[in-house]
mmCIF file of all heavy atoms in Angstrom:
data_model
loop_
_atom_site.group_PDB
_atom_site.id
_atom_site.type_symbol
_atom_site.label_atom_id
_atom_site.label_comp_id
_atom_site.label_asym_id
_atom_site.label_seq_id
_atom_site.Cartn_x
_atom_site.Cartn_y
_atom_site.Cartn_z
ATOM 1 N N SER A 55 -7.753 4.498 0.259
ATOM 2 C CA SER A 55 -6.787 4.737 1.264
ATOM 3 C C SER A 55 -5.436 4.290 0.830
ATOM 4 O O SER A 55 -5.280 3.519 -0.165
ATOM 5 C CB SER A 55 -7.205 4.078 2.544
ATOM 6 O OG SER A 55 -6.768 2.733 2.583
ATOM 7 N N PHE A 56 -4.368 4.742 1.614
ATOM 8 C CA PHE A 56 -3.008 4.400 1.283
ATOM 9 C C PHE A 56 -2.752 2.873 1.378
ATOM 10 O O PHE A 56 -1.744 2.403 0.931
ATOM 11 C CB PHE A 56 -2.023 5.142 2.224
ATOM 12 C CG PHE A 56 -2.042 4.700 3.653
ATOM 13 C CD1 PHE A 56 -1.118 3.768 4.099
ATOM 14 C CD2 PHE A 56 -3.080 5.068 4.517
ATOM 15 C CE1 PHE A 56 -1.144 3.301 5.372
ATOM 16 C CE2 PHE A 56 -3.117 4.640 5.847
ATOM 17 C CZ PHE A 56 -2.145 3.715 6.285
ATOM 18 N N LYS A 57 -3.694 2.181 2.033
ATOM 19 C CA LYS A 57 -3.436 0.733 2.279
ATOM 20 C C LYS A 57 -3.201 0.030 1.008
ATOM 21 O O LYS A 57 -2.588 -1.013 0.931
ATOM 22 C CB LYS A 57 -4.660 0.177 2.974
ATOM 23 C CG LYS A 57 -5.006 0.826 4.272
ATOM 24 C CD LYS A 57 -3.988 0.561 5.389
ATOM 25 C CE LYS A 57 -4.420 1.258 6.645
ATOM 26 N NZ LYS A 57 -3.543 1.004 7.771
ATOM 27 N N ALA A 79 -6.525 -8.108 10.571
ATOM 28 C CA ALA A 79 -7.356 -7.394 11.519
ATOM 29 C C ALA A 79 -7.373 -5.934 11.044
ATOM 30 O O ALA A 79 -6.414 -5.477 10.400
ATOM 31 C CB ALA A 79 -6.748 -7.446 12.836
ATOM 32 N N SER A 80 -8.470 -5.233 11.361
ATOM 33 C CA SER A 80 -8.474 -3.839 10.728
ATOM 34 C C SER A 80 -9.473 -2.965 11.499
ATOM 35 O O SER A 80 -10.452 -3.342 12.040
ATOM 36 C CB SER A 80 -8.898 -3.905 9.288
ATOM 37 O OG SER A 80 -8.906 -2.663 8.740
ATOM 38 N N THR A 81 -9.126 -1.658 11.454
ATOM 39 C CA THR A 81 -10.139 -0.612 11.847
ATOM 40 C C THR A 81 -11.026 -0.218 10.632
ATOM 41 O O THR A 81 -11.852 0.594 10.757
ATOM 42 C CB THR A 81 -9.430 0.643 12.439
ATOM 43 O OG1 THR A 81 -8.521 1.108 11.436
ATOM 44 C CG2 THR A 81 -8.720 0.323 13.762
ATOM 45 N N GLY A 82 -10.814 -0.894 9.510
ATOM 46 C CA GLY A 82 -11.617 -0.636 8.345
ATOM 47 C C GLY A 82 -10.984 -0.534 7.043
ATOM 48 O O GLY A 82 -11.368 -1.205 6.028
ATOM 49 N N ASN A 83 -9.940 0.275 6.904
ATOM 50 C CA ASN A 83 -9.326 0.480 5.631
ATOM 51 C C ASN A 83 -8.457 -0.657 5.171
ATOM 52 O O ASN A 83 -8.467 -1.016 3.886
ATOM 53 C CB ASN A 83 -8.460 1.826 5.628
ATOM 54 C CG ASN A 83 -9.258 3.019 5.498
ATOM 55 O OD1 ASN A 83 -10.245 3.019 4.806
ATOM 56 N ND2 ASN A 83 -8.860 4.060 6.153
ATOM 57 N N THR A 84 -7.692 -1.245 6.020
ATOM 58 C CA THR A 84 -6.929 -2.459 5.639
ATOM 59 C C THR A 84 -7.870 -3.538 5.189
ATOM 60 O O THR A 84 -7.613 -4.247 4.252
ATOM 61 C CB THR A 84 -6.102 -2.944 6.879
ATOM 62 O OG1 THR A 84 -5.141 -1.967 7.212
ATOM 63 C CG2 THR A 84 -5.395 -4.234 6.606
ATOM 64 N N ALA A 85 -9.057 -3.596 5.861
ATOM 65 C CA ALA A 85 -10.061 -4.616 5.497
ATOM 66 C C ALA A 85 -10.519 -4.432 4.077
ATOM 67 O O ALA A 85 -10.611 -5.384 3.281
ATOM 68 C CB ALA A 85 -11.173 -4.594 6.502
ATOM 69 N N LYS A 112 -16.302 1.770 4.917
ATOM 70 C CA LYS A 112 -15.316 0.706 4.905
ATOM 71 C C LYS A 112 -15.926 -0.612 5.078
ATOM 72 O O LYS A 112 -15.589 -1.628 4.398
ATOM 73 C CB LYS A 112 -14.303 0.973 6.064
ATOM 74 C CG LYS A 112 -13.646 2.346 6.039
ATOM 75 C CD LYS A 112 -12.826 2.633 7.272
ATOM 76 C CE LYS A 112 -12.388 4.107 7.268
ATOM 77 N NZ LYS A 112 -11.578 4.428 8.396
ATOM 78 N N PHE A 130 -9.766 -2.807 18.163
ATOM 79 C CA PHE A 130 -8.875 -3.295 17.134
ATOM 80 C C PHE A 130 -7.712 -4.125 17.789
ATOM 81 O O PHE A 130 -7.314 -5.140 17.229
ATOM 82 C CB PHE A 130 -8.206 -2.128 16.430
ATOM 83 C CG PHE A 130 -7.038 -2.493 15.547
ATOM 84 C CD1 PHE A 130 -7.189 -3.007 14.236
ATOM 85 C CD2 PHE A 130 -5.765 -2.383 16.070
ATOM 86 C CE1 PHE A 130 -6.094 -3.362 13.494
ATOM 87 C CE2 PHE A 130 -4.645 -2.738 15.279
ATOM 88 C CZ PHE A 130 -4.837 -3.234 14.028
ATOM 89 N N ASN A 151 -1.509 -7.854 7.773
ATOM 90 C CA ASN A 151 -1.309 -6.604 8.626
ATOM 91 C C ASN A 151 0.103 -6.073 8.394
ATOM 92 O O ASN A 151 0.944 -6.661 7.837
ATOM 93 C CB ASN A 151 -1.660 -6.939 10.112
ATOM 94 C CG ASN A 151 -3.109 -6.977 10.388
ATOM 95 O OD1 ASN A 151 -3.680 -8.036 10.513
ATOM 96 N ND2 ASN A 151 -3.742 -5.858 10.339
ATOM 97 N N SER A 152 0.308 -4.836 9.049
ATOM 98 C CA SER A 152 1.528 -4.153 8.676
ATOM 99 C C SER A 152 2.683 -4.675 9.377
ATOM 100 O O SER A 152 3.842 -4.182 9.194
ATOM 101 C CB SER A 152 1.394 -2.662 8.861
ATOM 102 O OG SER A 152 0.953 -2.355 10.265
ATOM 103 N N ARG A 157 3.993 -5.162 3.190
ATOM 104 C CA ARG A 157 3.041 -4.078 3.240
ATOM 105 C C ARG A 157 3.811 -2.722 3.283
ATOM 106 O O ARG A 157 3.604 -1.816 2.583
ATOM 107 C CB ARG A 157 2.200 -4.128 4.542
ATOM 108 C CG ARG A 157 0.988 -5.058 4.473
ATOM 109 C CD ARG A 157 -0.266 -4.353 3.920
ATOM 110 N NE ARG A 157 -0.400 -3.076 4.572
ATOM 111 C CZ ARG A 157 -1.040 -2.844 5.746
ATOM 112 N NH1 ARG A 157 -1.590 -3.873 6.338
ATOM 113 N NH2 ARG A 157 -1.191 -1.642 6.198
ATOM 114 N N GLN A 161 4.159 0.705 0.914
ATOM 115 C CA GLN A 161 3.823 2.047 1.434
ATOM 116 C C GLN A 161 4.983 3.042 1.347
ATOM 117 O O GLN A 161 4.712 4.229 1.313
ATOM 118 C CB GLN A 161 3.289 1.914 2.896
ATOM 119 C CG GLN A 161 1.861 1.282 2.902
ATOM 120 C CD GLN A 161 1.357 0.780 4.253
ATOM 121 O OE1 GLN A 161 0.636 -0.070 4.385
ATOM 122 N NE2 GLN A 161 1.788 1.507 5.343
ATOM 123 N N PRO A 181 -0.687 10.793 10.138
ATOM 124 C CA PRO A 181 -1.505 10.219 11.254
ATOM 125 C C PRO A 181 -0.979 8.828 11.593
ATOM 126 O O PRO A 181 -0.702 7.984 10.713
ATOM 127 C CB PRO A 181 -2.884 10.116 10.682
ATOM 128 C CG PRO A 181 -2.803 10.365 9.187
ATOM 129 C CD PRO A 181 -1.397 10.884 8.873
ATOM 130 N N VAL A 182 -0.937 8.510 12.891
ATOM 131 C CA VAL A 182 -0.360 7.273 13.413
ATOM 132 C C VAL A 182 -1.418 6.402 14.126
ATOM 133 O O VAL A 182 -2.049 6.904 15.060
ATOM 134 C CB VAL A 182 0.835 7.528 14.238
ATOM 135 C CG1 VAL A 182 1.383 6.242 14.991
ATOM 136 C CG2 VAL A 182 1.945 8.149 13.511
ATOM 137 N N GLY A 183 -1.557 5.130 13.682
ATOM 138 C CA GLY A 183 -2.444 4.204 14.337
ATOM 139 C C GLY A 183 -1.691 2.992 14.803
ATOM 140 O O GLY A 183 -1.053 2.931 15.885
ATOM 141 N N ASN A 184 -1.602 2.024 13.900
ATOM 142 C CA ASN A 184 -0.795 0.805 14.235
ATOM 143 C C ASN A 184 0.712 1.111 13.949
ATOM 144 O O ASN A 184 1.521 0.279 14.203
ATOM 145 C CB ASN A 184 -1.312 -0.384 13.361
ATOM 146 C CG ASN A 184 -1.219 -1.685 14.154
ATOM 147 O OD1 ASN A 184 -1.110 -1.711 15.356
ATOM 148 N ND2 ASN A 184 -1.296 -2.739 13.459
ATOM 149 N N ALA A 185 0.990 2.259 13.475
ATOM 150 C CA ALA A 185 2.319 2.860 13.352
ATOM 151 C C ALA A 185 3.287 2.319 12.321
ATOM 152 O O ALA A 185 4.429 2.436 12.349
ATOM 153 C CB ALA A 185 2.921 2.823 14.779
ATOM 154 N N GLY A 186 2.683 1.644 11.243
ATOM 155 C CA GLY A 186 3.529 1.097 10.186
ATOM 156 C C GLY A 186 3.840 2.208 9.175
ATOM 157 O O GLY A 186 4.946 2.294 8.568
ATOM 158 N N ASN A 187 2.894 3.043 8.872
ATOM 159 C CA ASN A 187 3.012 3.992 7.659
ATOM 160 C C ASN A 187 4.156 5.024 7.930
ATOM 161 O O ASN A 187 4.901 5.297 6.991
ATOM 162 C CB ASN A 187 1.660 4.630 7.431
ATOM 163 C CG ASN A 187 1.582 5.139 5.924
ATOM 164 O OD1 ASN A 187 2.200 4.468 5.147
ATOM 165 N ND2 ASN A 187 0.923 6.229 5.759
ATOM 166 N N ILE A 188 4.204 5.566 9.140
ATOM 167 C CA ILE A 188 5.184 6.627 9.354
ATOM 168 C C ILE A 188 6.626 5.981 9.188
ATOM 169 O O ILE A 188 7.549 6.607 8.600
ATOM 170 C CB ILE A 188 5.010 7.317 10.717
ATOM 171 C CG1 ILE A 188 5.854 8.605 10.825
ATOM 172 C CG2 ILE A 188 5.274 6.282 11.877
ATOM 173 C CD1 ILE A 188 5.544 9.491 11.949
ATOM 174 N N ALA A 244 -10.289 5.087 12.384
ATOM 175 C CA ALA A 244 -9.179 4.413 11.706
ATOM 176 C C ALA A 244 -7.925 4.289 12.585
ATOM 177 O O ALA A 244 -7.194 3.346 12.424
ATOM 178 C CB ALA A 244 -8.811 5.210 10.531
ATOM 179 N N ILE A 245 -7.746 5.195 13.552
ATOM 180 C CA ILE A 245 -6.582 5.223 14.401
ATOM 181 C C ILE A 245 -6.970 5.055 15.867
ATOM 182 O O ILE A 245 -6.293 5.547 16.809
ATOM 183 C CB ILE A 245 -5.705 6.484 14.194
ATOM 184 C CG1 ILE A 245 -6.488 7.743 14.395
ATOM 185 C CG2 ILE A 245 -5.008 6.495 12.820
ATOM 186 C CD1 ILE A 245 -5.697 9.079 14.277
ATOM 187 N N ILE A 247 -6.521 2.916 18.238
ATOM 188 C CA ILE A 247 -5.622 1.786 18.502
ATOM 189 C C ILE A 247 -4.811 2.176 19.763
ATOM 190 O O ILE A 247 -4.179 3.184 19.845
ATOM 191 C CB ILE A 247 -4.675 1.547 17.295
ATOM 192 C CG1 ILE A 247 -5.518 1.137 16.110
ATOM 193 C CG2 ILE A 247 -3.590 0.548 17.661
ATOM 194 C CD1 ILE A 247 -4.756 0.961 14.829
ATOM 195 N N GLU A 291 -11.064 11.622 5.466
ATOM 196 C CA GLU A 291 -11.756 11.102 6.718
ATOM 197 C C GLU A 291 -11.003 11.601 7.922
ATOM 198 O O GLU A 291 -9.895 12.203 7.816
ATOM 199 C CB GLU A 291 -11.646 9.521 6.613
ATOM 200 C CG GLU A 291 -10.353 8.922 6.771
ATOM 201 C CD GLU A 291 -10.452 7.404 6.998
ATOM 202 O OE1 GLU A 291 -10.694 6.990 8.123
ATOM 203 O OE2 GLU A 291 -10.165 6.596 6.047
ATOM 204 N N ALA A 293 -9.287 10.478 10.513
ATOM 205 C CA ALA A 293 -7.904 10.162 10.866
ATOM 206 C C ALA A 293 -6.944 10.962 9.934
ATOM 207 O O ALA A 293 -5.849 11.354 10.432
ATOM 208 C CB ALA A 293 -7.663 8.644 10.543
ATOM 209 N N SER A 294 -7.292 11.164 8.743
ATOM 210 C CA SER A 294 -6.454 11.941 7.827
ATOM 211 C C SER A 294 -6.413 13.453 8.162
ATOM 212 O O SER A 294 -5.376 14.097 8.136
ATOM 213 C CB SER A 294 -6.856 11.729 6.378
ATOM 214 O OG SER A 294 -7.101 10.435 6.088
ATOM 215 N N THR A 321 -4.428 10.222 4.410
ATOM 216 C CA THR A 321 -4.492 8.765 4.255
ATOM 217 C C THR A 321 -5.640 8.132 3.637
ATOM 218 O O THR A 321 -5.628 7.057 3.101
ATOM 219 C CB THR A 321 -4.109 8.149 5.646
ATOM 220 O OG1 THR A 321 -5.019 8.789 6.624
ATOM 221 C CG2 THR A 321 -2.686 8.373 6.002
ATOM 222 N N GLY A 322 -6.875 8.756 3.925
ATOM 223 C CA GLY A 322 -8.149 8.118 3.418
ATOM 224 C C GLY A 322 -9.201 9.126 3.008
ATOM 225 O O GLY A 322 -9.203 10.340 3.511
HETATM 226 N N1 F0G B 1 -5.075 6.841 8.417
HETATM 227 C C1 F0G B 1 -5.992 5.967 7.993
HETATM 228 C C2 F0G B 1 -7.132 6.465 7.183
HETATM 229 C C3 F0G B 1 -5.881 4.624 8.423
HETATM 230 O O1 F0G B 1 -6.830 3.778 8.036
HETATM 231 C C4 F0G B 1 -4.838 4.170 9.224
HETATM 232 C C5 F0G B 1 -4.698 2.844 9.696
HETATM 233 C C6 F0G B 1 -3.814 5.213 9.613
HETATM 234 C C7 F0G B 1 -4.034 6.584 9.152
HETATM 235 C C8 F0G B 1 -2.672 4.854 10.430
HETATM 236 O O2 F0G B 1 -1.685 4.113 9.743
HETATM 237 O O3 F0G B 1 -1.644 2.108 11.199
HETATM 238 O O4 F0G B 1 0.168 2.607 9.522
HETATM 239 O O5 F0G B 1 -0.124 3.968 11.666
HETATM 240 N N2 F0G B 1 -5.611 1.955 9.552
HETATM 241 C C9 F0G B 1 -5.445 0.549 9.912
HETATM 242 C C10 F0G B 1 -6.569 -0.263 9.353
HETATM 243 C C11 F0G B 1 -5.088 0.259 11.322
HETATM 244 O O6 F0G B 1 -6.896 -1.306 9.777
HETATM 245 O O7 F0G B 1 -7.200 0.179 8.359
HETATM 246 P P1 F0G B 1 -0.741 3.143 10.561
#
Side-chain angles (χ1 to χ4, degrees):
S55 85
F56 72 97
K57 304 287 179 179
S80 181
T81 55
N83 280 326
T84 295
K112 304 174 191 181
F130 166 84
N151 282 106
S152 57
R157 279 272 313 277
Q161 288 170 210
V182 172
N184 216 16
N187 203 33
I188 192 165
I245 52 172
I247 295 175
E291 69 169 282
S294 313
T321 46

